[in-house]
Amino acid sequence: MHYTGFVLDTFNTFDLFPLANVEVGNHFYWHIGNLKLHGQVFLNSWLVIALLLIVSVAATRNPKQVPTGAQNLMEYCWEYLRDLARSQIGEKEYRPWLPFVGTLFLFIFVCNWSGALVPWKVLELPEGELAAPTNDINTTVALALLVSLAYFYAGFRKKGLGYFKKYIEPTPILLPIAILEDFTKPLSLSFRLFGNILADELVVAVLVFLVPLIVPIPVMLLGLFTSAIQALVFATLAAAYIHEALEGHGAEEEH
């Protein structure tokens, strides 16, 4: 069992010499000019998106009064995500944000499970192999930045320039702390998801190498459970951040 791992490069702004380079495992890269992309991350992400689209089309193609099969699964997912968004964002505000929160949860959930359930060795790459996109720090950072943009947009759309009053209330002395908080939110989201998925795949890879028969199975099952929990945590925190941006001054004015 090979492990795709991650790459973290830090470059000097002026001379572009690498200051730090940490790499685990073999990787399949696409080279576009001077740009180097993780090919296995893109391929697996597109496969996950294709799977979600296929299930969505199958569930809505011929809807029935008594749902069965894919329609039943999709309706269950929709009800679960609706309750999640409603509980975190609120009854009056959750509907416009349900597609965003639901898409985050489903994409991360399927990505996490794709690294453990699907025998990717049926698709041979020149080097490395397909693995969960969420074990790459670039994927989790991109998802976290989307959440940051979402809650900034939510707050600004509802309150206008008044949204930025939160940075200087109750006192302007707290301005640096409020700004720091906006940086720590995406950092915590991205590193929590990345670290858990990376650690799980590393543990499974080591156990499969050392004792390839029975011992890794319980760890793999535990990994499936924790992968689902990580998707839920990410979506729940995203909804909570959006709710935080929507409340505050707007909520006080309503009361």
Side-chain angles (χ1 to χ4, degrees):
M1 178 177 180
H2 301 289
Y3 174 69
T4 53
F6 70 98
V7 174
L8 177 61
D9 294 307
T10 306
F11 295 97
N12 188 292
T13 307
F14 302 101
D15 54 10
L16 296 179
F17 287 136
L19 299 177
N21 189 319
V22 180
E23 183 167 352
V24 179
N26 297 321
H27 304 269
F28 172 60
Y29 294 110
W30 288 336
H31 295 274
I32 304 176
N34 294 326
L35 185 63
K36 185 168 69 172
L37 304 175
H38 282 203
Q40 77 268 12
V41 173
F42 280 92
L43 287 173
N44 200 9
S45 298
W46 293 338
L47 288 171
V48 169
I49 294 171
L51 176 62
L52 290 173
L53 287 174
I54 290 171
V55 174
S56 300
V57 171
T60 57
R61 186 175 182 181
N62 186 22
K64 300 177 181 178
Q65 284 292 108
V66 180
T68 58
Q71 182 185 347
N72 193 29
L73 174 63
M74 188 59 66
E75 289 192 10
Y76 173 79
C77 291
W78 182 83
E79 291 175 1
Y80 179 80
L81 294 171
R82 179 196 59 190
D83 294 340
L84 171 65
R86 178 191 292 164
S87 64
Q88 294 298 321
I89 301 177
E91 181 69 36
K92 296 181 179 179
E93 304 280 359
Y94 83 93
R95 291 185 181 277
W97 296 102
L98 176 57
F100 177 73
V101 175
T103 301
L104 276 178
F105 174 83
L106 291 175
F107 179 75
I108 295 172
F109 178 82
V110 179
C111 281
N112 291 351
W113 276 39
S114 68
L117 284 180
V118 182
W120 292 121
K121 287 183 179 293
V122 299
L123 298 175
E124 294 291 338
L125 297 178
E127 57 180 329
E129 68 180 55
L130 295 176
T134 43
N135 80 1
D136 188 285
I137 188 66
N138 301 287
T139 303
T140 58
V141 167
L143 293 171
L145 289 177
L146 284 176
V147 174
S148 295
L149 289 174
Y151 72 72
F152 271 117
Y153 170 76
F156 187 76
R157 184 179 179 217
K158 182 174 182 179
K159 305 171 189 176
L161 294 176
Y163 172 72
F164 297 102
K165 289 182 180 179
K166 72 169 191 171
Y167 291 100
I168 57 174
E169 290 187 352
T171 171
I173 298 175
L174 297 178
L175 177 62
I177 298 176
I179 295 175
L180 181 62
E181 183 182 3
D182 283 333
F183 281 99
T184 57
K185 284 178 180 176
L187 281 177
S188 63
L189 279 176
S190 57
F191 279 96
R192 181 188 297 108
L193 178 60
F194 162 70
N196 280 279
I197 301 305
L198 177 67
D200 175 62
E201 295 201 356
L202 276 174
V203 169
V204 172
V206 171
L207 287 177
V208 168
F209 177 76
L210 296 176
V211 279
L213 292 178
I214 299 174
V215 176
I217 295 178
V219 180
M220 292 175 69
L221 294 176
L222 179 62
L224 293 177
F225 175 74
T226 57
S227 295
I229 293 298
Q230 289 305 312
L232 176 61
V233 168
F234 196 100
T236 301
L237 288 175
Y241 293 155
I242 292 171
H243 171 66
E244 182 182 343
L246 290 170
E247 64 174 13
H249 302 292
E252 291 171 4
E253 290 172 1
E254 290 176 4
H255 292 299

